[in-house]
Each structure stands twice: as structure tokens, then as C-alpha cells.
Amino acid sequence: MLKNMKFIKFLLGLTTLTASTIGFAQNSEEKEWQHVYDAREAFYEKNIGKLPNDIMKASNLFGVWPGGGFYVIPADKIKKGLWVYSTFGLTNSDMPSTLTATDIEIKHNDQGRVISSSSKLEKKNRAMPSTGKAGYGYEVLMIAKENAEWPLWFMQWTGNIVLLNDVDLLTRVEKNNGLTIEEIPVGNDENDTINVLIAKAQKPLPTDIKLPNGNMQFLIATVITDEEMQWSIENGRDALLKKLMVSGAGQISDRNRSSIVK
């Protein structure tokens, strides 16, 4: 379990860009980047739903993750009425990143919204994934029953821990049969937090694909209750995932769901 990770606490500040503006020009490396992007986009649209025209980008990750961001996708191919919140670009051909952001300064208005931000880019050693992985080797999804803001807090939290703090979520999931994280902030109120179980996608959800630059795994973050968090510590994260699947809750996040353990 990753515990009390509020040291990465932030207030939501996302910028919306037209997706086509994040592409590159046309030398060989850039053509490979676009080839990977197009293959991933096709997989999403076949198995999840049509990508919106706009991608959301975290201002503190602009230089670190120039071709990546977050999508909010009507997940009609999974089930009508569901929404998928997804990283999009951790598997880009220019990942893992060789840059990190330091001296991050964020200014907010009276409503807590980001009005400006600044940071300094510094070189870092590339955290090389295992052979055969596309970029970091995974994209992270949260599936919810609503189009809301709180999952975007989680997505930006994910971008921060992967790109700025070099946390390899896939390796931790594989080593520990899943990963539980408690008290992730998802609002301006410090008490507005969620617990999540991160695990590999389970069928009938799309699970993985071989992109032109390697293998991509879907990791699904599922909101769990305090009781389920404690139960997973005592009985195992894989056991909790099995109970979620059997109960019908599956890997869909519902903050109002009753606990499946007693």
C-alpha cells in the first residue's frame, strides 16, 4: 500500500488543447511517435469510445510530457452511461521522460482555481522500462458512472507520481498482485479524498495491446471503501479484486457504493 501520499497534494489546474496540436512534425522519430499515437487512438475508439477533440494537459507537466495528457471519454463501447478518465501518452515513443519539473509555483484565485503556474525543467536519468514495453508500459484508467471533476484530480495525481516521482505503477502492481493507495485528494477540501485499488484490467474490459513501440497494459484504478482497504491489507489485493468482480461492482468507481466486505 502507498500510504498518505498527500506530499504530492495539488489543486486542480488543467488546460484543454485540441488534440491535433500535441503532435509533431515529420522526421523519422516524429513519424514513429505519430504511428504509436494513431495505433493507440484506434484501440481506444474500438474498445472504449470515441476520443473527444480536446485533451487535458497539466500545466506542471507541459515540458516533461509534451505529447501526453488526459482524456474524458464517453465509454459507449464498454457500457452506455459510463465515463473513462485516462492518461494518454505514458506509452508514447518518447517516454519515459528524461526531464523533471522543479520549483513548481502555482497561483490560485479565490475559488481555488489555478490562474498561473511556473516551473523549472531539469534533466534526469531516463527510468528505462523492461524490454518490450511501450514507453512506461501502461496507461491508467478510471471508469465512473458520472462526468465529474473529482476523477481528474486522480488523473493529475497519477501523472505527478509517474512522471515527476518515477513511481513504476505496473511493476508494483505485478509484484504485489495489485496496489492500494489511501487518501488521495480529489477536491479543494482536504477531507475530500478517495482510496483506490490499482490492478490490471479484467475482462470483459480491454486489457492490453501491442503498439508499434512495444506492449501496453491497461491499469484500472477503482475507488474502494475504508473497510475494503483494511480487508485487502489482511487478505490480499488480488482477493479484494476477485470479490469486486464477483459482486458485480467490478472495476467501476462509485463513491456511493456500499462496502462488499463486512
Side-chain angles (χ1 to χ4, degrees), residues 1 13-14 33 36 52 86 96 103 118 128 130 207 209 213 226 255:
M1 177 180 66
L14 296 174
W33 187 97
V36 171
S86 178
D103 299 333
S118 64
M128 293 301 294
S130 300
T207 56
I209 182 179
N213 60 329
D226 292 341
R255 298 180 73 185

Side-chain angles (χ1 to χ4, degrees), residues 30-101:
E30 291 155 357
K31 286 181 179 179
E32 179 190 9
W33 187 97
Q34 192 64 52
H35 190 31
V36 171
Y37 187 99
D38 292 344
R40 188 175 59 241
E41 179 182 42
F43 183 74
Y44 270 68
E45 296 202 342
K46 179 181 179 180
N47 294 280
I48 297 175
K50 184 173 177 55
L51 299 186
N53 292 329
D54 298 329
I55 191 168
M56 297 182 181
K57 297 179 72 67
S59 56
N60 65 310
L61 298 176
F62 276 166
V64 177
W65 197 25
F70 312 104
Y71 272 124
V72 181
I73 310 167
D76 295 342
K77 297 297 178 66
I78 297 176
K79 183 179 179 181
K80 287 190 179 297
L82 294 180
W83 294 81
V84 162
Y85 302 79
S86 178
T87 61
F88 199 83
L90 295 178
T91 51
N92 283 347
S93 59
D94 58 347
M95 293 288 107
S97 179
T98 58
L99 296 172
T100 191

Side-chain angles (χ1 to χ4, degrees), residues 101-120:
T102 61
D103 299 333
I104 299 171
E105 294 185 5
I106 301 176
K107 294 183 180 180
H108 308 86
N109 61 19
D110 293 339
Q111 288 73 45
R113 292 286 181 174
V114 173
I115 56 175
S116 67
S117 66
S118 64
S119 62
K120 181 171 67 175

Side-chain angles (χ1 to χ4, degrees), residues 123-136:
K123 294 283 290 183
K124 69 173 182 178
N125 292 329
R126 172 170 285 180
M128 293 301 294
S130 300
T131 302
K133 289 182 180 179
Y136 287 96

Side-chain angles (χ1 to χ4, degrees), residues 175-187:
K175 180 180 179 180
N176 300 293
N177 295 317
L179 181 65
T180 51
I181 311 164
E182 65 177 2
E183 296 185 338
I184 300 172
V186 289

Side-chain angles (χ1 to χ4, degrees), residues 69 112 120 160 169 234:
K120 181 171 67 175
N160 282 329
L169 292 176
E234 299 169 358

